[in-house]
Every structure is written in C-alpha cells, then in structure tokens.
Amino acid sequence: MYGKKITNKNNSTGQRLRSVAGQSSSYFSDMSNGALVDMASHVDTVGRDEPKQCPLEFIKGNSQPIQEMRAWIEKVRDVQANVLLCGESGTGKELVARAIHAGQGPFVAINMAAIADNLVDSELCGHKEGAFTGADGDRIGLLFEANGGTLFLDEINAMSLQLQAKLLRVIEERKIRPVGSNREFDVNFRLVSATNEDLEQLVNEGRFRRDLFHRLKVLSYKLPPLRARTADVPLLANEFLSYYTSIHNRAAQGFSAEAISWLSSRKWPGNVRELENFIEEVVVLLPADTREITLDYLLNVPSVADCASTRNTRIRAGEPVPLSEMIQHHILGVMDYTKGNKAQAARILKIDYKTLVRKLTTEAD
C-alpha cells in the first residue's frame, strides 16, 4: 500500500513512545507562578515528528479497494471529526492516518499497547519535577505534544480498562492536568485511532468501553487486507524492490512473470508489511549481479524453504523435536489463525503482548 518515501524502518513512530523535554522547564515555571500559559508557544520540538506531507499518491495501488479508500480520505481529511481506522496488522493504518493528517501541524503516534498503566498519567499528560519518585525533571506529555496537530493512537484494542477511562476523559474535555500540577490546560488535536480487532465485539465482551468506542468512531474505515487486492502485489513488490536494491546496492531490476504470479498467489497474513520484509530479505541475499529475480530463487529464500518447513514436517510426522520447536510451531499456528493479529494471539496463548513479540522476533532470527 505504501511507498518508502513515507515509511522509514529506522524511524517507526508507531512502534515507540516518545517524550519531550527542554522548554518544558519554562512551561512548568510559568504554570507554578500562576501565569496564563499559551500551550502552543511552549511545545518543544525535541522528539516530535517534523511536519511532513503525505500525498495520496504515496498510497500505492490501482485496485478498486485502494481507489475507494483514496476517495474516502479526500472526503474526511479537511474535517476535524474523530476517525477510527480498522484493519489487520500490516495493512498501512499509520500511512492512512498520515494521509488524513496531510502535514497540518505535529503528528504524534502512540502505540497504546506499550503504555504501562502506572505510567499513563506521566506519558500522556506530563509531569513536574519532583512529582513522584524518579521524576528528575519536567516532562511534557504526548497529548500536549500533539496540540495543534494530529494524535494517532495505534492498537487501541490492546488498552487496559484503566487507560480507556483516562483517555475518555481527555477526549471529552480536551484538557490535561500534568502530574504534580494543580491546573488543567486545554489541548486541541485531531484524533485518529487504529485497531486490528473488532472493537464492537470487544465492547460486547466487556473488554472495551462502549462510551469510548462511540467517541472514537465518528468516522470509520476498514482497510483492505492484501489478499483482497492482489492486483496491487506486482506494483508493491516492484516498489519495494526498487527501494531495497538502492539501499543494499544490488543490480536487480525486476521479477520474472512466474515470480510475480507466485508473489500474487501467496496469502500474506502479515499483509503489506510482510510482503515488504520478504522483498528486503530477497534483495539482501541476492548475488550482486542478478538482474532478474526468478521463481526458483524465491522458492529457495530461507524464510520460504528453510527450518520452518522442515520443523513442521518433522512435527506432522510425529518425530520427536525439542520443546522449543513445538512451542514455536504452536505460536505460528495461532498467528496464522488470527491472520497476524498479535493482540488476539496473545490472548489465545494467555501470554502478554510483549512476550509474544519477543518470541516472534526470536523465531525470525
């Protein structure tokens, strides 16, 4: 779905928490002196995304689902209503959020699954120096950082009920109170949220607040999985090939017809992100002088032909294998069942989200 002009694997804002320091000292000084504070004038740019445009042409694809999505983005990008983006992992929800944002002020992305309940207030609203043990300096919260721009909340389905309650209050009142302060301050941002699970189902199960769900879902869109737009696979594959050959200094200029057909026929449960990672693996392992990538080459790429296939064959045959291999086999089976949805897989496996990510990373290594 996306081009490398926007995504940068070394700057994946959707995968980290970010905080701001520096000018926060003057902000809290003014606050403690009882002065009226213009929040926008105190926002520090350290750690914040630089404003960047995200033209619709960066959303790659010519299929009907992508054309319909571009048309929807055009309709909603100039209004301030809350937006909820739904879709499987790897479908490009942050890219769509950036297209809606269109460079209008700061863009702050927060992975809600990564915020610990005991750090919610500090991370979102900031704190004053000395507000609690370990608060060695003033800190501007992420909601304050997004003032005047767009706040992108990724993986909202993974939020605890405690975090949901705190977020609901901010959304309703558009005010924050830094930890250790006795004052509230107005914040104004466009809210775009993303989920890889059915929030309505989570509401019915009592795992997501109904009032918050309706606050977030003023406008909503379900992003198409890659298997629903296989006509875009050749374009995407060649986009990623062009990018990674330039990065890794390879000579490949394209795929054979058989290779493209094979790429288009795969399920890609991890969607565009999985396709991208696979193409990078292909490029990195290419002989430097290879001009065309053939089907035979793709079938011999380690992630396709190596230990995973061998291990699965051994397990199906009833051959004794180490416990670690059985565990990995089961985890990958659950991931396949959930179509790459890590939060759902973690609940099925009854392990926490971070443990699942670590085990998947170990498997990938």
Side-chain angles (χ1 to χ4, degrees):
M1 174 185 294
Y2 46 92
K4 277 297 173 180
K5 293 180 181 178
I6 293 298
T7 56
N8 184 326
K9 299 188 81 171
N10 295 322
N11 186 28
S12 55
T13 57
Q15 300 302 315
R16 68 185 190 277
L17 294 176
R18 298 169 17 244
S19 61
V20 181
Q23 294 177 3
S24 57
S25 296
S26 61
Y27 155 63
F28 285 126
S29 175
D30 288 345
M31 185 171 63
S32 62
N33 291 332
L36 294 177
V37 178
D38 176 7
M39 296 187 71
S41 69
H42 285 272
V43 175
D44 192 348
T45 58
V46 177
R48 178 204 293 181
D49 279 358
E50 290 299 320
K52 59 181 76 174
Q53 296 291 330
C54 183
L56 288 178
E57 57 265 27
F58 288 170
I59 299 177
K60 300 296 182 179
N62 299 312
S63 62
Q64 185 66 26
I66 291 301
Q67 293 182 35
E68 292 173 356
M69 188 172 71
R70 287 199 192 99
W72 178 83
I73 293 171
E74 289 276 18
K75 292 178 181 178
V76 306
R77 69 193 312 176
D78 292 327
V79 299
Q80 292 300 308
N82 294 342
V83 175
L84 177 63
L85 301 175
C86 309
E88 298 174 10
S89 296
T91 50
K93 294 185 285 295
E94 182 171 342
L95 182 71
V96 173
R98 287 186 180 277
I100 294 171
H101 169 64
Q104 300 174 25
F107 181 94
V108 177
I110 310 176
N111 186 334
M112 303 306 289
I115 300 183
D117 285 347
N118 62 331
L119 297 177
V120 169
D121 292 325
S122 176
E123 291 289 352
L124 296 185
C125 299
H127 63 250
K128 290 185 64 176
E129 181 178 2
F132 51 85
T133 302
D136 299 328
D138 295 336
R139 184 176 192 177
I140 292 177
L142 293 164
L143 300 180
F144 181 65
E145 186 187 349
N147 194 44
T150 298
L151 180 67
F152 175 60
L153 305 180
D154 197 11
E155 296 195 71
I156 58 170
N157 50 290
M159 287 192 298
S160 68
L161 289 173
Q162 177 183 343
L163 179 50
Q164 291 175 36
K166 292 180 180 294
L167 180 61
L168 177 64
R169 182 176 181 275
V170 172
I171 293 174
E172 289 179 334
E173 300 182 6
R174 298 297 168 118
K175 295 178 181 293
I176 62 170
R177 183 194 297 271
V179 179
S181 169
N182 59 3
R183 296 189 59 192
E184 289 187 331
F185 295 88
D186 295 332
V187 286
N188 181 32
F189 48 75
R190 175 165 196 168
L191 183 64
V192 181
S193 306
T195 175
N196 54 25
E197 289 190 271
D198 184 346
L199 285 191
E200 196 157 7
Q201 180 180 340
L202 297 186
V203 168
N204 293 333
E205 295 173 359
R207 293 191 287 120
F208 201 90
R209 294 179 62 112
R210 187 175 297 277
D211 46 4
L212 178 58
F213 170 65
H214 289 297
R215 285 285 184 180
L216 297 175
K217 190 184 178 183
V218 178
L219 298 169
S220 65
Y221 199 88
K222 186 172 183 178
L223 279 65
L226 188 53
R227 62 183 176 277
R229 56 187 193 97
T230 54
D232 293 329
V233 170
L235 173 62
L236 292 168
N238 280 291
E239 284 279 340
F240 294 137
L241 178 66
S242 176
Y243 176 77
Y244 284 114
T245 51
S246 65
I247 292 296
H248 299 297
N249 194 28
R250 297 293 187 268
Q253 298 179 352
F255 299 91
S256 69
E258 294 81 4
I260 284 293
S261 178
W262 181 82
L263 289 170
S264 300
S265 68
R266 295 198 75 188
K267 292 183 179 180
W268 303 113
N271 295 293
V272 180
R273 185 181 299 121
E274 181 184 0
L275 173 63
E276 177 188 0
N277 291 341
F278 178 71
I279 298 301
E280 182 176 16
E281 178 187 13
V282 168
V283 170
V284 168
L285 298 177
L286 273 176
D289 59 349
T290 299
R291 293 286 179 175
E292 183 181 69
I293 300 173
T294 65
L295 175 58
D296 183 64
Y297 180 82
L298 294 181
L299 294 177
N300 285 281
V301 170
S303 64
V304 175
D306 69 356
C307 58
S309 177
T310 302
R311 181 188 62 232
N312 293 344
T313 300
R314 290 166 61 201
I315 292 173
R316 285 194 296 268
E319 182 179 342
V321 297
L323 178 59
S324 60
E325 291 190 17
M326 287 293 295
I327 292 173
Q328 288 291 354
H329 176 74
H330 181 60
I331 289 174
L332 294 175
V334 173
M335 284 295 294
D336 185 58
Y337 173 80
T338 63
K339 297 183 174 63
N341 187 321
K342 296 185 184 70
Q344 184 181 355
R347 284 199 296 272
I348 292 173
L349 293 165
K350 295 187 177 180
I351 60 178
D352 63 61
Y353 185 93
K354 293 179 181 178
T355 299
L356 176 61
V357 172
R358 186 177 68 252
K359 287 182 177 294
L360 291 172
T361 302
T362 301
E363 167 66 15
D365 291 341

